[in-house]
Amino acid sequence: MPVVTPETQDQSAQVQHGAKAHSDGGWDAPEGAFVPVQTRSDRFKSNVPSEHPDVNGREAEWKLTPVDLLRPLIDGELDGSPYPFLVTQTEGADAEWVDRTDARVGLAGQAEEKSSANAWNSFQKALAITITGGETSEITISRSMLGDAARGAHTVITAKKNSRGRVILLNTSQAQLVENVEIVVEDGAQLAVVSVQEWADDAIHLATHFATVGRDATFRHVVVSLGGKVVRVNPSVALSGEGADGELSGLYFADAGQHLEQRVYMHHEGANTKGRVNYKGALQGVGAHTVWVGDVLIGPEAAGTDSYEQNRNLVLSEGTRADSIPNLEIETGDILGAGHASATGRFDDEQLFYLQARGITEHEARRLVVLGFLTEIIQKIGKPELEQRLQISIDDELNRSSSQLVGGAE
């Protein structure tokens, strides 16, 4: 069999059996044609905004996003000054503002998007959160006074070697915010990071969370997005050390005219790593739009990997749209298992019938089904007071729009 290379390929090889080169790029592509990146880890990275191409909304990473609403955060000038926040903490957890030159800044990742680079270029000081305790430590950062000016921010979270802790980021009220959150989980550490978005109805929030997980370390990441006009939280996690364990969970509830988006990337770099991704969402109201893109890459050195990702969406009314795109790349044949799944549908009529047959009203039956569907993710938080608060918030969402709920199975 002849070997075809860019140097030896001729026209006859291109049209064999009537096949033609793709118009989006290739060896014979015309000058300036786009050649797509084939491996998730090969995407361009830079913290300098000018090195990223202009965003036109047709790019793969932006085409499902209302880009016109985000222009001030993608291209505009940002206020990068330190902002007010409330903090509650236990022993072994601390938060402080540090300079851009601090050695902890830049350890976990680099910007893959222009908005992320804009935030990186703009912040004056980073909020550094450090977990050091051998017993489980906890710190909560509450932000509710960011205002409506375009702002760029940077947070660095470090779980020191063999430490145990939980970091909760609570976001409420108004905001026009683009930010990067770097997370370093050192060898043997156990860290949970919970990010809750209960913004005001007109808030816009773009966030990229970069995490690197060391040898025999455990990382739990939970994203809950309920409020805001446009909220896009993109976790990017590298299981770098041998035996690293990562669990990424998410919950979102989109109402009429609301856009909630999450693009998840888990990269198995080390051997014998374990990864789980589980996101669940509900949608109701005309114009409610959710986007979930899940990328899992099992690298060539990640022998013994055990990985699975899934996304489930529950449609509660007409006029909604849920985009769900799972992707899986495997670069080694020596794995324990890998898979992905995605499903979007309406209520299960059998569940409703079962509950109504026992004297429960239709509205209450629907409420129980939705809460049961989403509670699995809420319980991942591990803080009872916050879990109860979020269940009440979801209940309020359902009660406000109960007239929009529809039945029928897809």
Side-chain angles (χ1 to χ4, degrees):
M1 177 181 295
V3 177
V4 180
T5 69
E7 290 76 20
T8 62
Q9 175 177 290
D10 58 22
Q11 292 298 317
S12 63
Q14 295 177 34
V15 298
Q16 183 180 12
H17 305 301
K20 296 182 179 180
H22 291 292
S23 60
D24 63 349
W27 288 339
D28 69 333
E31 184 177 356
F34 172 66
V35 180
V37 173
Q38 297 300 316
T39 301
R40 181 62 172 79
S41 59
D42 288 343
R43 288 188 183 178
F44 175 73
K45 303 176 182 66
S46 173
N47 297 331
V48 180
S50 61
E51 294 181 357
H52 289 264
D54 292 337
V55 175
N56 57 38
R58 297 188 296 273
E59 302 86 352
E61 62 270 28
W62 290 107
K63 66 180 181 180
L64 299 174
T65 311
V67 169
D68 289 343
L69 296 176
L70 312 179
R71 287 296 179 191
L73 300 182
I74 297 174
D75 302 315
E77 184 175 347
L78 304 174
D79 178 1
S81 62
Y83 50 81
F85 64 88
L86 298 176
V87 59
T88 58
Q89 63 206 84
T90 64
E91 186 176 355
D94 187 44
E96 60 178 334
W97 290 108
V98 299
D99 293 332
R100 294 179 57 93
T101 55
D102 190 278
R104 290 166 287 185
V105 175
L107 292 180
Q110 287 184 289
E112 294 183 1
E113 299 172 353
K114 191 170 185 178
S115 60
S116 177
N118 196 20
W120 203 302
N121 186 63
S122 301
F123 78 92
Q124 296 174 12
K125 289 183 177 292
L127 180 61
I129 301 170
T130 306
I131 302 294
T132 57
E135 300 296 328
T136 300
S137 303
E138 182 175 291
I139 184 169
T140 299
I141 303 294
S142 300
R143 301 184 294 185
S144 62
M145 297 175 282
L146 297 184
D148 55 6
R151 178 179 290 276
H154 200 98
T155 302
V156 178
I157 301 172
T158 306
K160 304 300 287 185
K161 186 175 181 180
N162 296 322
S163 65
R164 297 183 179 184
R166 176 166 54 231
V167 177
I168 300 175
L169 307 174
L170 291 179
N171 299 309
T172 60
S173 194
Q174 292 182 313
Q176 302 288 314
L177 174 67
V178 55
E179 66 175 339
N180 295 297
V181 179
E182 294 190 78
I183 304 165
V184 176
V185 187
E186 296 185 358
D187 293 352
Q190 299 178 26
L191 177 68
V193 174
V194 181
S195 179
V196 178
Q197 286 62 244
E198 291 188 289
W199 296 113
D201 290 343
D202 60 348
I204 295 179
H205 181 205
L206 305 181
T208 302
H209 291 202
F210 306 94
T212 178
V213 186
R215 183 183 182 93
D216 295 325
T218 300
F219 179 52
R220 303 288 180 262
H221 188 266
V222 183
V223 177
V224 178
S225 294
L226 301 177
K229 184 176 182 62
V230 180
V231 176
R232 172 173 157 133
V233 181
N234 298 346
S236 178
V237 178
L239 300 178
S240 303
E242 182 175 357
D245 187 321
E247 181 178 311
L248 312 183
S249 305
L251 179 158
Y252 46 94
F253 196 129
D255 282 323
Q258 191 176 26
H259 180 97
L260 303 179
E261 182 170 346
Q262 34 274 308
R263 294 172 177 262
V264 184
Y265 174 37
M266 178 175 283
H267 187 183
H268 293 265
E269 294 181 329
N272 302 313
T273 54
K274 180 180 179 181
R276 293 291 184 269
V277 178
N278 186 16
Y279 273 64
K280 288 187 172 185
L283 304 87
Q284 67 180 9
V286 175
H289 186 196
T290 64
V291 176
W292 180 87
V293 179
D295 291 328
V296 172
L297 171 60
I298 301 175
E301 306 301 322
T305 286
D306 180 7
S307 185
Y308 190 79
E309 66 168 341
Q310 68 173 357
N311 176 228
R312 300 283 187 267
N313 297 292
L314 186 58
V315 176
L316 307 180
S317 73
E318 302 291 347
T320 65
R321 173 177 171 177
D323 288 290
S324 181
I325 307 171
N327 301 301
L328 174 62
E329 298 178 83
I330 304 174
E331 297 182 321
T332 177
D334 183 12
I335 63 173
L336 292 181
H340 58 79
S342 169
T344 300
R346 301 186 188 276
F347 278 106
D348 186 330
D349 283 343
E350 291 185 2
Q351 288 181 320
L352 292 178
F353 177 80
Y354 176 86
L355 294 171
Q356 289 181 267
R358 280 148 181 80
I360 299 174
T361 66
E362 181 179 358
H363 171 67
E364 181 65 11
R366 293 181 185 279
R367 172 183 169 276
L368 291 174
V369 170
V370 174
L371 288 176
F373 175 70
L374 298 176
T375 294
E376 176 191 2
I377 304 299
I378 294 176
Q379 291 176 339
K380 299 287 187 181
I381 293 173
K383 187 177 178 63
E385 309 94 288
L386 181 55
E387 292 176 0
Q388 183 179 15
R389 167 182 160 177
L390 293 175
Q391 286 181 327
I392 293 173
S393 296
I394 293 171
D395 212 5
D396 289 343
E397 297 267 5
L398 290 169
N399 289 331
R400 280 199 302 268
S401 304
S402 60
S403 62
Q404 297 176 331
L405 301 182
V406 298
E410 282 190 343

